[in-house]
Amino acid sequence: MADVAFNDVDKIYDNGVQAVFGLTLDIHDAEFLVLVGPSGCGKTTALRMVAGLEEISGGTVSIGGRVVNDVSPKERDIAMVFQNYALYPHLSVGENIAFGLRLRKEPKEMINERVAWAAKLLDLAPYLNRKPKELSGGQRQRVAMGRAIVRKPQVFLMDEPLSNLDAKLRVQMRADIAHLQRELQTTTVYVTHDQVEAMTMGDRVAVMANGVLQQVDAPQRLYDRPANLFVAGFIGTPPMNLLEATATVNGEVSVNLGGNVLPIAPEAIQQYPRLREYGGRPVIVGLRAGDLHPAQGRDDLPQIHATVEIVESLGGESMAYFRVDARYIKSEAAEEEAVLASEGTPETVVGSRPNLVASFPPHVHLRLRDKVPIAVDTKNLHFFDEASGAPLR
Amino acid sequence: MSSSELASTTAAAPAAAAAVKHPRSRLKFKDTWWRHAVGVVAMCAALFPVVYIVSSSFNSNSSLQSAQVIPSHVTLHNFGSLLHNNVKGNTGAKQDAPYPHWFLNSMLISLLTALATTVLGALAAYAFSRFRFKGRRGGMMGLLLIQMFPQFVAVAAIYLIVLNVGEVFPQIGLDKLAAVVIVYLGGAMGVQAWLIKGFFDTIPTELDESARVDGATAAQIFWGVVMPLAAPVLAVVALISFVFTLNEFVIASTILQTTSHKTLPVGMQLFISNSYDKVWGPFAAGALLAALPVAALFMFLQRWIVSGLTAGSVKG
């Protein structure tokens, strides 16, 4: 058991590309920390620096208080689970799990005992004599886990361990891994690009973008109080709607969102007091899909009008995609669009695509192309500076 | 195929597509006869020397002209005279032909060379595949370029080197088997290293990294993880270099001089080097015996060879 600390860590590759910028992050003992971000954000590089598979260009990484910059992987007392599992194809499941212990020349009885323990914990006992290629994806994933836990290392490092599994299995393994970690109480650094995984598994979640740490917090705090536009757009499914609006302050505070005037509830002003300073200036308004409701029966809430573009029924709820006449910021959750964020803050764009998604109860009747009123619960709105992306707190 | 047949086939195709198991069996002989013809001709060309060697090795008559495909007197005489160093020319004069020695020399040289080439090639390939160092590209191109010059171009130089080295280290001087092995190793590295590197490149680096995190040293990763996985290409490389070495003539004949130190090709060449006194019978018998270990090795390595050849060639 140990804590892991990044202290102003840089990573510059031989070709001059800098992957990580001044990363400072403390991971507590027994904590499950998830590093999340779009592809190429430096999260895997950060993890590999802890593993000792990448050299550290600047700053220090310490494990259990010991600076490990120049310590070889085998002496760091860590275990790593790779995205493609990296099982040794020529060894049986049992031999795969025992590999690390054998290299350390542990006594035979101890190896057998530990392998049996790991196999039992992971439901692998019947497969110990099989080769990896005779296993299903989920079983292989568990063998990789077994190989990690059997050595009882100080730190687990996991690099997108679930991304090769199908969606259903992923949900199950998600819970299994989180449960296993709580049971073993081993410090864990878990890398993923899937913010749902991050939210459901982590004690804390560190959001990275373009090699820079954006925010570290408990999942719910990330969701409720994003530190900047990037985190706001990245965390949450569906992603937060980020639209440009103009604020008006004359006693009451309201925003003009594509011709719709929305008076802002005092609760939101309390969260974002600096909104008062933005009278007559553009701001970015963040609206969660869950704060938008069908207008019918919600006379208590202010309304905006938007054109229905797409309706997806998920059974328990309907995702309704609208267009409002406002510039918007493309969702960062869409990975290929991460490039957008490459230069400072994301820019607003005008597009013909839907720019507002709402989560409606099922059976709400919406006709495509109709302009319909939507009730907005303005208590939970978020406000950001357009230029810097900083929240108006 | 008539047009009506065609129409009915087309119509039935969607429904019966799954039921048609062997669409090839529908091809008519008149459309495909030429494929068989090419095959038969190629097979004859390939089998002719084999049949000839087999038949003349069992033939009591050692002249070429009078040999028949099916010998009139089947005899093991040729084999016997080889094994007992009792080969007589057509004139009745006994030739000094210690065939068992040659055989052992050849096996020893070929096995050692094959083994060492494989290990050295794998070591070089591992470095080229996994490490990034200055001169990596240059080194690989260099290996390939050097390989383009046939080894026997350098035969005079090799002779001089071995001669001079022999003054200091007699064990690897002229007329020593070890000298031949060392010269072969110098020449055999290039293509083999490339072939193995191509295969190593297909082994995910995560396996190396995983082993490193598990606590393995570079040597443990190489021997414990990478080498077992590369078995197919190693089998191919070993086989290729074994066969090449077994057949090699120029260098072996330059370095090995004492009759009992010669290898099979160099020694057996004596049987047919005399203009008026070629003993084809013992020569054929000797060639047949020499083919046995190669065939055995092929059979033994067979299950790895196919995947090894394709894997290496595609990525190499």
Side-chain angles (χ1 to χ4, degrees):
Chain A
M1 309 300 133
D3 54 342
V4 175
F6 291 89
N7 188 7
D8 199 19
V9 171
D10 289 320
K11 173 64 194 183
I12 304 167
Y13 282 104
D14 289 341
N15 59 11
V17 174
Q18 182 154 7
V20 175
F21 295 81
L23 175 63
T24 298
L25 174 61
D26 284 313
I27 301 156
H28 312 140
D29 187 20
E31 184 178 29
F32 195 122
L33 182 111
V34 180
L35 267 174
V36 69
S39 325
C41 73
K43 56 194 191 300
T44 295
T45 308
L47 188 80
R48 289 169 59 87
M49 286 194 283
V50 180
L53 296 172
E54 297 286 355
E55 274 181 37
I56 297 160
S57 313
T60 57
V61 171
S62 359
I63 299 174
R66 177 173 69 138
V67 174
V68 293
N69 284 33
D70 299 318
V71 177
S72 74
K74 65 184 272 199
E75 270 136 34
R76 294 188 185 198
D77 199 12
I78 45 162
M80 185 154 170
V81 179
F82 290 82
Q83 181 171 1
N84 60 5
Y85 318 139
L87 303 180
Y88 311 118
H90 59 299
L91 301 180
S92 71
V93 169
E95 289 165 335
N96 260 288
I97 295 177
F99 190 80
L101 295 174
R102 289 213 178 130
L103 285 175
R104 282 175 166 69
K105 304 244 173 359
E106 303 285 2
K108 208 159 193 146
E109 310 83 66
M110 191 267 234
I111 295 179
N112 292 340
E113 192 184 305
R114 285 276 192 88
V115 170
W117 165 77
K120 189 162 171 261
L121 206 59
L122 295 162
D123 283 334
L124 285 170
Y127 311 111
L128 282 179
N129 291 320
R130 291 208 196 164
K131 290 278 165 64
K133 65 169 182 234
E134 297 161 46
L135 300 180
S136 71
Q139 289 165 341
R140 287 181 203 182
Q141 211 285 327
R142 294 210 299 273
V143 177
M145 289 295 299
R147 210 169 53 181
I149 64 172
V150 76
R151 277 183 16 231
K152 303 200 171 163
Q154 295 196 41
V155 183
F156 289 147
L157 306 173
M158 304 193 191
D159 185 7
E160 310 222 8
L162 302 184
S163 56
N164 283 3
L165 299 179
D166 65 67
K168 218 169 184 177
L169 201 52
R170 202 178 308 159
V171 173
Q172 190 202 328
M173 284 305 297
R174 210 156 75 190
D176 287 355
I177 291 179
H179 176 75
L180 192 67
Q181 194 271 343
R182 298 207 202 315
E183 201 157 289
L184 300 174
Q185 289 287 307
T186 305
T187 315
T188 301
V189 187
Y190 184 105
V191 161
T192 179
H193 65 266
D194 180 351
Q195 55 89 20
V196 179
E197 254 172 49
M199 297 290 280
T200 51
M201 297 176 82
D203 293 329
R204 283 193 307 157
V205 176
V207 184
M208 284 185 79
N210 305 303
V212 179
L213 182 63
Q214 306 286 323
Q215 187 175 5
V216 197
D217 234 322
Q220 193 62 49
R221 298 253 317 160
L222 279 184
Y223 187 88
D224 292 340
R225 291 175 66 86
N228 56 34
L229 264 181
F230 178 85
V231 178
F234 189 77
I235 297 292
T237 316
M240 187 190 283
N241 301 296
L242 295 167
L243 299 168
E244 192 185 81
T246 314
T248 312
V249 183
N250 45 8
E252 295 280 284
V253 180
S254 62
V255 294
N256 185 325
L257 188 64
N260 303 283
V261 176
L262 269 182
I264 304 302
E267 289 92 336
I269 307 288
Q270 220 168 10
Q271 287 288 331
Y272 292 93
R274 278 178 59 216
L275 182 59
R276 288 187 173 283
E277 301 161 18
Y278 277 69
R281 286 162 65 188
V283 292
I284 302 290
V285 183
L287 312 93
R288 293 275 182 206
D291 294 327
L292 302 171
H293 308 282
Q296 214 171 10
R298 297 304 301 262
D299 299 334
D300 53 323
L301 297 176
Q303 295 180 353
I304 58 174
H305 287 80
T307 315
V308 182
E309 296 276 345
I310 306 166
V311 180
E312 293 174 347
S313 175
L314 302 179
E317 58 180 341
S318 288
M319 286 296 152
Y321 293 81
F322 301 93
R323 250 198 74 68
V324 287
D325 187 18
R327 294 166 71 84
Y328 67 103
I329 288 179
K330 278 193 187 170
S331 147
E332 291 300 335
E335 246 182 67
E336 61 277 10
E337 287 168 356
V339 227
L340 264 187
S342 57
E343 300 299 328
T345 42
E347 280 178 26
T348 52
V349 294
V350 184
S352 56
R353 304 222 324 249
N355 56 5
L356 185 70
V357 52
S359 142
F360 279 4
H363 312 302
V364 171
H365 186 68
L366 293 168
R367 270 219 322 255
L368 295 188
R369 307 275 161 230
D370 273 3
K371 198 155 194 172
V372 298
I374 305 168
V376 181
D377 190 347
T378 57
K379 284 202 299 292
N380 300 323
L381 295 192
H382 303 264
F383 300 94
F384 302 90
D385 181 80
E386 193 192 21
S388 69
L392 303 183
R393 282 199 275 266
Chain B
M1 197 179 270
S2 72
S3 61
S4 65
E5 260 182 308
L6 192 69
S8 69
T9 318
T10 317
V20 181
K21 278 182 190 150
H22 301 292
R24 270 170 178 260
S25 66
R26 292 188 168 200
L27 292 172
K28 294 276 160 55
F29 183 73
K30 65 172 182 168
D31 296 324
T32 61
W33 64 269
W34 58 272
R35 299 183 195 172
H36 297 278
V38 170
V40 168
V41 169
M43 204 169 70
C44 288
L47 283 181
F48 177 73
V50 178
V51 171
Y52 199 88
I53 286 288
V54 171
S55 104
S56 49
S57 68
F58 290 106
N59 203 326
S60 60
N61 192 337
S62 63
S63 96
L64 273 181
Q65 269 73 27
S66 57
Q68 301 137 315
V69 173
I70 297 168
S72 44
H73 306 295
V74 173
T75 170
L76 291 176
H77 173 76
N78 290 329
F79 294 94
S81 63
L82 268 183
L83 296 179
H84 299 109
N85 192 4
N86 189 24
V87 177
K88 293 202 175 75
N90 298 331
T91 55
K94 184 170 173 284
Q95 291 194 0
D96 182 23
Y99 183 86
H101 269 124
W102 299 342
F103 193 91
L104 283 180
N105 291 344
S106 266
M107 286 305 123
L108 204 64
I109 289 177
S110 303
L111 281 175
L112 275 176
T113 307
L115 207 71
T117 301
T118 311
V119 172
L120 287 177
L123 285 168
Y126 187 69
F128 280 128
S129 168
R130 290 297 198 265
F131 303 140
R132 295 290 174 268
F133 49 90
K134 274 214 173 85
R136 173 173 171 270
R137 257 190 84 78
M140 286 181 56
M141 291 315 288
L143 272 183
L144 201 64
L145 285 175
I146 291 168
Q147 200 70 24
M148 287 178 182
F149 297 97
Q151 213 174 9
F152 55 79
V153 169
V155 80
I158 289 172
Y159 178 80
L160 281 176
I161 291 172
V162 174
L163 182 72
N164 288 324
V165 168
E167 310 263 307
V168 188
F169 304 104
Q171 285 314 307
I172 51 170
L174 280 183
D175 210 23
K176 291 287 188 291
L177 300 185
V180 183
V181 173
I182 288 171
V183 171
Y184 285 160
L185 288 185
M189 280 274 297
V191 168
Q192 321 291 30
W194 269 85
L195 200 64
I196 302 174
K197 185 214 166 249
F199 195 91
F200 281 178
D201 285 347
T202 66
I203 299 176
T205 45
E206 280 91 345
L207 286 183
D208 300 44
E209 291 175 344
S210 170
R212 263 173 77 194
V213 173
D214 274 349
T217 61
Q220 282 169 323
I221 296 171
F222 180 73
W223 292 108
V225 177
V226 175
M227 286 296 261
L229 293 178
V233 79
L234 299 180
V236 169
V237 166
L239 191 72
I240 291 175
S241 88
F242 182 82
V243 172
F244 168 81
T245 319
L246 199 62
N247 288 329
E248 206 283 329
F249 180 82
V250 180
I251 288 170
S253 71
T254 312
I255 296 176
L256 303 172
Q257 289 155 348
T258 314
T259 310
S260 66
H261 284 184
K262 292 188 170 175
T263 59
L264 281 171
V266 182
M268 278 164 52
Q269 184 258 353
L270 294 177
F271 291 152
I272 53 170
S273 64
N274 201 332
S275 303
Y276 302 107
D277 195 10
K278 297 185 197 293
V279 282
W280 285 104
F283 179 83
L288 202 60
L289 287 179
L292 291 180
V294 181
L297 202 62
F298 254 105
M299 306 255 269
F300 174 65
L301 297 178
Q302 199 174 28
R303 64 193 177 109
W304 290 299
I305 285 171
V306 176
S307 60
L309 279 175
T310 50
S313 61
V314 172
K315 280 290 268 186

